[in-house]
Coordinates of all heavy atoms in Angstrom, one line a residue:
A317 N 117.5 82.2 98.1 CA 116.6 82.1 96.9 C 115.4 83.1 97.1 O 115.0 83.8 96.2 CB 116.2 80.7 96.6
L318 N 114.9 83.1 98.3 CA 113.8 84.0 98.6 C 114.2 85.5 98.5 O 113.5 86.3 97.9 CB 113.2 83.8 100.0 CG 112.4 82.5 100.2 CD1 112.0 82.4 101.7 CD2 111.1 82.6 99.4
T319 N 115.4 85.8 99.0 CA 115.9 87.1 98.9 C 116.0 87.6 97.4 O 115.6 88.7 97.1 CB 117.3 87.2 99.6 OG1 117.1 86.9 101.0 CG2 117.9 88.6 99.5
E320 N 116.6 86.8 96.6 CA 116.8 87.1 95.2 C 115.5 87.2 94.5 O 115.3 88.0 93.6 CB 117.8 86.2 94.5 CG 119.2 86.3 95.1 CD 119.8 87.7 95.0 OE1 119.6 88.4 94.0 OE2 120.4 88.1 96.0
T321 N 114.6 86.3 94.8 CA 113.2 86.3 94.2 C 112.5 87.5 94.6 O 111.8 88.1 93.7 CB 112.5 85.0 94.6 OG1 113.2 83.9 94.1 CG2 111.1 85.0 93.9
K322 N 112.6 87.9 95.8 CA 111.9 89.1 96.3 C 112.4 90.3 95.5 O 111.6 91.2 95.1 CB 112.2 89.3 97.8 CG 111.8 90.6 98.3 CD 110.4 90.6 98.7 CE 110.0 91.9 99.5 NZ 108.7 92.1 99.6
K323 N 113.7 90.4 95.2 CA 114.3 91.5 94.3 C 113.7 91.5 93.0 O 113.3 92.6 92.4 CB 115.8 91.4 94.2 CG 116.5 91.7 95.5 CD 118.0 91.4 95.4 CE 118.8 91.6 96.7 NZ 120.2 91.3 96.5
L324 N 113.5 90.3 92.4 CA 112.9 90.2 91.1 C 111.4 90.7 91.1 O 111.0 91.4 90.2 CB 112.9 88.8 90.5 CG 114.3 88.2 90.2 CD1 114.2 86.7 90.0 CD2 114.8 88.9 89.0
L325 N 110.7 90.3 92.1 CA 109.3 90.6 92.2 C 109.0 92.1 92.5 O 107.9 92.6 92.2 CB 108.6 89.7 93.2 CG 108.6 88.2 92.9 CD1 108.1 87.4 94.1 CD2 107.8 87.9 91.7
T326 N 109.9 92.7 93.2 CA 109.6 94.1 93.6 C 110.3 95.1 92.7 O 110.0 96.3 92.8 CB 110.2 94.4 95.0 OG1 111.6 94.1 95.1 CG2 109.4 93.5 96.1
A327 N 111.0 94.7 91.7 CA 111.7 95.6 90.8 C 110.7 96.6 90.1 O 111.0 97.8 90.1 CB 112.4 94.8 89.7
R328 N 109.5 96.2 89.6 CA 108.6 97.1 89.0 C 108.1 98.2 90.0 O 108.0 99.4 89.6 CB 107.4 96.4 88.4 CG 107.8 95.7 87.1 CD 106.7 94.9 86.5 NE 105.4 95.7 86.4 CZ 104.2 95.1 86.5 NH1 104.1 93.8 86.6 NH2 103.1 95.8 86.4
V329 N 107.8 97.8 91.2 CA 107.3 98.7 92.2 C 108.4 99.7 92.6 O 108.1 100.9 92.7 CB 106.7 98.0 93.4 CG1 106.4 98.9 94.5 CG2 105.5 97.1 93.0
L330 N 109.6 99.2 92.8 CA 110.7 100.1 93.1 C 111.0 101.1 92.0 O 111.3 102.2 92.2 CB 111.9 99.3 93.5 CG 111.8 98.5 94.8 CD1 113.0 97.6 95.0 CD2 111.5 99.4 96.0
D331 N 110.9 100.6 90.8 CA 111.1 101.5 89.6 C 110.0 102.6 89.6 O 110.3 103.7 89.3 CB 111.1 100.7 88.3 CG 112.3 99.9 88.1 OD1 113.3 100.1 88.8 OD2 112.3 99.0 87.2
A332 N 108.8 102.2 89.9 CA 107.7 103.2 89.9 C 107.9 104.2 91.0 O 107.7 105.4 90.8 CB 106.3 102.5 90.2
F333 N 108.4 103.8 92.2 CA 108.8 104.8 93.2 C 109.9 105.7 92.7 O 109.8 106.9 92.9 CB 109.1 104.1 94.5 CG 108.0 103.8 95.4 CD1 107.3 102.6 95.3 CD2 107.6 104.7 96.3 CE1 106.2 102.4 96.1 CE2 106.5 104.5 97.2 CZ 105.8 103.3 97.0
D334 N 110.9 105.1 92.2 CA 112.1 105.9 91.7 C 111.6 106.9 90.6 O 112.0 108.1 90.6 CB 113.2 105.0 91.1 CG 113.9 104.3 92.2 OD1 113.8 104.6 93.3 OD2 114.6 103.3 91.8
D335 N 110.8 106.5 89.7 CA 110.4 107.3 88.6 C 109.3 108.3 88.9 O 109.2 109.4 88.2 CB 109.9 106.5 87.4 CG 111.0 105.6 86.8 OD1 112.2 105.9 87.1 OD2 110.7 104.6 86.1
H336 N 108.4 108.0 89.8 CA 107.1 108.8 90.0 C 106.8 109.3 91.4 O 105.9 110.0 91.5 CB 105.9 108.0 89.5 CG 106.1 107.5 88.1 ND1 106.1 108.4 87.0 CD2 106.3 106.3 87.6 CE1 106.3 107.6 85.9 NE2 106.4 106.4 86.2
S337 N 107.6 109.0 92.4 CA 107.2 109.3 93.7 C 107.2 110.8 94.0 O 106.3 111.3 94.6 CB 108.1 108.6 94.8 OG 109.5 109.0 94.6
D338 N 108.2 111.6 93.4 CA 108.2 113.0 93.6 C 106.9 113.6 93.0 O 106.3 114.5 93.6 CB 109.4 113.6 93.0 CG 110.7 113.3 93.8 OD1 110.6 112.9 95.0 OD2 111.8 113.5 93.2
A339 N 106.6 113.2 91.8 CA 105.4 113.8 91.1 C 104.1 113.4 91.8 O 103.2 114.2 92.0 CB 105.3 113.3 89.7
C340 N 104.0 112.1 92.3 CA 102.8 111.7 93.0 C 102.7 112.4 94.3 O 101.6 112.8 94.7 CB 102.8 110.2 93.2 SG 102.5 109.3 91.7
T341 N 103.8 112.6 95.0 CA 103.7 113.3 96.3 C 103.3 114.8 96.1 O 102.5 115.3 96.9 CB 105.1 113.2 97.0 OG1 105.5 111.9 97.2 CG2 105.1 113.9 98.3
A342 N 103.8 115.4 95.1 CA 103.5 116.8 94.8 C 102.0 116.9 94.4 O 101.3 117.8 94.8 CB 104.3 117.4 93.7
L343 N 101.5 116.0 93.6 CA 100.1 115.9 93.2 C 99.2 115.7 94.4 O 98.2 116.4 94.6 CB 99.9 114.8 92.2 CG 98.4 114.5 91.8 CD1 97.8 115.8 91.2 CD2 98.3 113.3 90.9
S344 N 99.6 114.8 95.3 CA 98.8 114.6 96.5 C 98.7 115.8 97.4 O 97.7 116.2 97.8 CB 99.4 113.4 97.2 OG 98.6 113.0 98.3
A345 N 99.9 116.4 97.6 CA 99.9 117.6 98.4 C 99.0 118.8 97.8 O 98.3 119.4 98.5 CB 101.3 118.1 98.6
R346 N 99.1 118.9 96.5 CA 98.4 120.0 95.8 C 96.9 119.7 95.9 O 96.1 120.6 96.3 CB 98.7 120.0 94.3 CG 98.0 121.1 93.6 CD 98.5 121.3 92.1 NE 98.5 120.1 91.3 CZ 97.4 119.7 90.7 NH1 96.2 120.3 90.8 NH2 97.5 118.6 89.9
L347 N 96.5 118.4 95.7 CA 95.0 118.1 95.8 C 94.5 118.2 97.2 O 93.4 118.6 97.4 CB 94.8 116.7 95.2 CG 95.0 116.6 93.7 CD1 94.8 115.2 93.2 CD2 94.0 117.5 92.9
F348 N 95.3 117.7 98.2 CA 94.8 117.7 99.6 C 94.7 119.2 100.1 O 93.9 119.4 101.0 CB 95.7 116.9 100.5 CG 95.3 115.5 100.6 CD1 95.9 114.5 99.9 CD2 94.2 115.1 101.5 CE1 95.5 113.2 100.0 CE2 93.8 113.8 101.6 CZ 94.4 112.8 100.8
G349 N 95.4 120.1 99.5 CA 95.3 121.5 99.9 C 94.2 122.3 99.1 O 94.0 123.4 99.4
A350 N 93.5 121.6 98.2 CA 92.6 122.3 97.3 C 91.2 122.4 98.0 O 90.9 121.6 98.9 CB 92.5 121.6 96.0
T351 N 90.4 123.3 97.4 CA 89.0 123.5 97.9 C 88.2 122.2 97.9 O 87.4 121.9 98.8 CB 88.3 124.6 97.1 OG1 89.2 125.8 97.3 CG2 87.0 124.9 97.7
E352 N 88.3 121.5 96.8 CA 87.5 120.3 96.6 C 87.8 119.3 97.7 O 86.9 118.7 98.3 CB 87.8 119.6 95.3 CG 86.9 120.0 94.2 CD 87.0 119.1 92.9 OE1 87.8 118.2 92.9 OE2 86.2 119.4 92.0
A353 N 89.1 119.1 98.1 CA 89.4 118.2 99.1 C 88.9 118.6 100.5 O 88.4 117.8 101.3 CB 90.9 118.0 99.2
R354 N 89.0 119.9 100.7 CA 88.4 120.4 102.0 C 86.9 120.2 102.1 O 86.4 119.7 103.1 CB 88.7 121.9 102.2 CG 90.2 122.2 102.6 CD 90.4 123.6 103.0 NE 90.2 124.6 102.0 CZ 91.1 124.9 101.0 NH1 92.3 124.3 101.0 NH2 90.8 125.8 100.1
E355 N 86.2 120.5 101.0 CA 84.8 120.3 101.0 C 84.5 118.8 101.1 O 83.6 118.4 101.8 CB 84.2 120.9 99.7 CG 82.7 120.6 99.6 CD 81.8 121.0 100.7 OE1 82.1 122.0 101.4 OE2 80.8 120.3 101.0
G356 N 85.2 118.0 100.3 CA 85.0 116.5 100.3 C 85.2 115.9 101.7 O 84.5 115.0 102.2
T357 N 86.3 116.3 102.4 CA 86.6 115.9 103.7 C 85.5 116.3 104.7 O 85.1 115.5 105.5 CB 88.0 116.3 104.1 OG1 88.9 115.9 103.2 CG2 88.3 115.8 105.5
E358 N 85.1 117.5 104.6 CA 84.0 118.0 105.5 C 82.8 117.2 105.3 O 82.1 116.8 106.3 CB 83.8 119.5 105.3 CG 84.8 120.4 105.9 CD 84.5 121.9 105.6 OE1 83.3 122.2 105.3 OE2 85.4 122.7 105.7
A359 N 82.4 117.0 104.0 CA 81.2 116.2 103.8 C 81.3 114.8 104.3 O 80.3 114.3 104.9 CB 81.0 116.2 102.2

Side-chain angles (χ1 to χ4, degrees):
L318 284 175
T319 298
E320 295 305 318
T321 301
K322 172 84 173 164
K323 290 176 187 176
L324 292 169
L325 296 173
T326 59
R328 284 180 46 210
V329 172
L330 294 174
D331 288 345
F333 272 90
D334 289 344
D335 295 343
H336 305 290
S337 63
D338 289 344
C340 286
T341 302
L343 173 62
S344 187
R346 181 174 57 81
L347 291 175
F348 270 98
T351 303
E352 268 190 359
R354 284 192 296 278
E355 175 56 33
T357 302
E358 284 178 20

